[in-house]
């Protein structure tokens, strides 16, 4: 089932009197999520080059002016008022943006310390991915970022801007080395970027090539963010389709391995990914009704999936220390699912499926790292 078809069915479910109010609200939330896509937010101190970076990434001409309101970059048809941030916003359409249907926010931050902190906290709460632009990642910046969730940190990036100027000053290598320690605990990864050449080319009406983007450090950043956005969209689409199946509103199409992932190396991490994908097909084939047998089937399948994953992960962890990070996440989720199998009611079955979907989503994000 395509994204468009899924969204249409979700909108129909949101006004369907045959399902409960909670389910209708969930349908509306899922539809909005698929329509708007991921929220990518650029944050960081004033003067570090957030707007220049945003312009360079999205293909906008940088005229040197600095926006006084938050700029929202979105596909055609999106409304700036739908952006989950307070304050004045201006909408800019990006028909062929590098991140599909994602919304990109170039956040206008207050010049006062209290206003800056409040706006940053609000933006962090609204974000799916953050590009934190910096020159040094000061203690004040670290304090503001410390309030971000671990999930957000795992798919956000520290962007060292104006790398060309730092190189000219002879401090770039030392600055990158100093920030690596912070990045290990606080971000997905670090990218050193420069936008001056890109801005100059676009200002002259000249074409920006892949080589230009690669030399500026932007191509690697764009590619990494795009992979995470794509993985998140696939997970959201799976969640929506399984929701529709649970409500008995449409058959849930089998979850197929995306073609672009077919060439991934068969690493221990990929073995776990393949197991989740294969068992998702089995789970999607079960209906979640009120009958005791149906509930038991779903909970039993969830428990069996956990046991199978545990076996695969034990074997994988022995040869790949990188699996240890996801092992702790899985063990916590597995304990919850096993407890739910003893309760044997509709709510527990639905919660168990939701936890497995979240595991799938976390695995997609980690696989995009």
């Amino acid at each position: 089932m395509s994204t468009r078809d899924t969204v249409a069915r979700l909108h129909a479910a949101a006004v369907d009197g045959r399902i409960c109010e909670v389910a209708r609200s969930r349908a509306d939330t899922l539809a909005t999520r698929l329509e708007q896509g991921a929220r990518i937010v650029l944050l960081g101190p004033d003067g570090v080059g957030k707007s220049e970076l945003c312009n360079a990434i999205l293909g906008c001409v940088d005229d040197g002016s600095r926006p006084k309101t938050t700029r929202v970059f979105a596909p055609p048809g999106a409304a700036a008022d739908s952006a989950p941030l307070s304050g004045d916003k201006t909408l800019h359409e990006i028909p062929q943006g590098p991140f599909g249907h994602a919304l990109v926010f170039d956040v206008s931050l207050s010049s006062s310390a209290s206003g800056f902190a409040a706006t940053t906290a609000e933006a962090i709460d609204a974000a799916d991915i953050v590009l934190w632009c910096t020159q040094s990642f000061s203690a004040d910046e670290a304090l503001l970022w410390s309030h971000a969730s671990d999930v957000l940190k795992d798919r956000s990036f520290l962007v060292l801007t104006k790398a060309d100027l730092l190189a000219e000053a002879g401090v770039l290598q030392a600055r990158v080395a100093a920030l690596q320690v912070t990045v290990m605990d606080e971000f997905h990864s670090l990218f050193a970027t420069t936008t001056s050449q890109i801005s100059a080319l676009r200002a002259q009406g000249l074409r920006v090539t892949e080589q230009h983007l690669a030399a500026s450090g932007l191509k690697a950043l764009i590619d990494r963010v795009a992979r995470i956005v794509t993985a998140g969209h696939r997970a959201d689409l799976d969640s929506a389709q399984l929701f529709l199946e649970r409500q008995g509103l449409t058959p849930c199409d089998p979850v197929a391995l995306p073609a672009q992932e077919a060439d991934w190396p068969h690493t221990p991490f990929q073995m776990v990914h393949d197991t989740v994908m294969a068992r998702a097909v089995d789970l999607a084939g079960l209906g979640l009704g009120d009958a005791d047998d149906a509930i038991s089937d779903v909970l039993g399948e969830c428990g069996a999936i956990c046991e199978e994953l545990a076996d695969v992960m034990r074997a994988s962890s022995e040869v790949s220390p990188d699996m240890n990070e996801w092992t702790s996440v899985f063990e916590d989720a597995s304990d919850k699912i096993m407890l739910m199998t003893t309760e044997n009611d509709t709510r527990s079955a639905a919660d168990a499926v939701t936890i497995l979907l979240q595991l799938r989503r976390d695995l997609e994000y980690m696989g995009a790292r």
Side-chain angles (χ1 to χ4, degrees), residues 6-347:
T6 301
V7 169
R9 292 178 183 275
L10 288 169
H11 281 309
V15 295
D16 192 330
R18 295 174 299 170
I19 62 177
C20 68
E21 183 178 351
V22 173
R24 292 197 298 271
S25 176
R26 176 63 175 161
D28 186 63
T29 299
L30 288 168
T32 300
R33 176 75 183 180
L34 286 172
E35 287 177 318
Q36 292 188 350
R39 295 183 290 267
I40 304 170
V41 178
L42 283 82
L43 292 173
D46 188 41
V48 298
K50 294 188 299 295
S51 295
E52 294 97 319
L53 180 71
C54 186
N55 291 336
I57 288 175
L58 298 179
C60 304
V61 175
D62 193 333
D63 60 6
S65 63
R66 293 298 148 250
K68 302 300 182 183
T69 62
T70 293
R71 297 187 298 169
V72 183
F73 295 86
D81 290 341
S82 67
L85 290 174
S86 59
D88 295 333
K89 297 180 286 288
T90 56
L91 179 65
H92 303 262
E93 290 190 352
I94 46 170
Q96 298 297 326
F99 307 128
H101 280 76
L103 297 174
V104 180
F105 298 84
D106 176 18
V107 180
S108 177
L109 297 169
S110 172
S111 57
S112 71
S114 59
F116 181 93
T119 304
T120 299
E122 181 187 37
I124 287 174
D125 287 342
D128 295 305
I129 299 170
V130 169
L131 306 184
W132 190 285
C133 305
T134 189
Q135 285 284 280
S136 61
F137 201 65
S138 66
D140 289 339
E141 293 175 67
L143 179 61
L144 291 172
W145 183 241
S146 67
H147 300 296
S149 68
D150 289 340
V151 172
L152 179 60
K153 289 179 178 180
D154 198 49
R155 55 178 182 251
S156 295
F157 302 86
L158 187 62
V159 183
L160 184 59
T161 55
K162 305 180 182 180
D164 52 338
L165 300 181
L166 294 175
E168 289 177 9
V171 299
L172 178 59
Q173 289 187 350
R175 193 69 56 85
V176 169
L179 290 174
Q180 288 291 0
V181 177
T182 297
V183 169
M184 289 178 62
D185 294 327
E186 299 295 323
F187 292 92
H188 180 295
S189 50
L190 168 69
F191 289 91
T193 64
T194 175
T195 58
S196 55
Q197 183 187 27
I198 304 298
S199 299
L201 288 170
R202 290 199 174 117
Q204 299 172 55
L206 300 177
R207 177 171 172 266
V208 175
T209 67
E210 291 284 301
Q211 290 74 20
H212 291 134
L213 290 172
S216 68
L218 293 176
K219 186 178 186 304
L221 173 61
I222 291 170
D223 289 348
R224 191 63 61 87
V225 174
R227 287 179 63 185
I228 290 180
V229 169
T230 300
H233 176 75
R234 287 198 301 267
D236 287 339
L237 187 59
D238 287 347
S239 297
Q241 291 177 349
L242 193 54
F243 166 83
L244 291 170
E245 166 69 9
R246 282 163 47 189
Q247 298 301 323
L249 299 176
T250 179
C252 184
D253 293 341
V255 182
L257 182 64
Q260 62 265 36
E261 293 182 0
D263 295 330
W264 283 12
H266 199 69
T267 61
F269 192 92
Q270 181 63 22
M271 290 171 60
V272 178
H273 176 274
D274 290 348
T275 300
V276 174
M277 295 295 288
R279 296 309 301 273
V281 176
D282 299 333
L283 191 60
L286 297 176
L288 183 56
D290 292 328
D292 290 343
D293 288 346
I295 294 170
S296 297
D297 287 345
V298 172
L299 286 169
E301 187 67 24
C302 289
I305 292 173
C306 286
E307 292 176 0
E308 184 173 346
L309 278 174
D311 292 338
V312 174
M313 290 177 66
R314 274 193 293 269
S316 301
S317 298
E318 293 176 359
V319 295
S320 177
D322 292 341
M323 288 301 303
N324 291 334
E325 178 183 359
W326 200 65
T327 298
S328 61
V329 175
F330 165 75
E331 289 175 346
D332 180 60
S334 180
D335 289 343
K336 293 178 182 178
I337 289 175
M338 289 306 178
L339 286 174
M340 291 170 185
T341 61
T342 65
E343 297 176 5
N344 203 46
D345 56 30
T346 303
R347 182 182 181 86

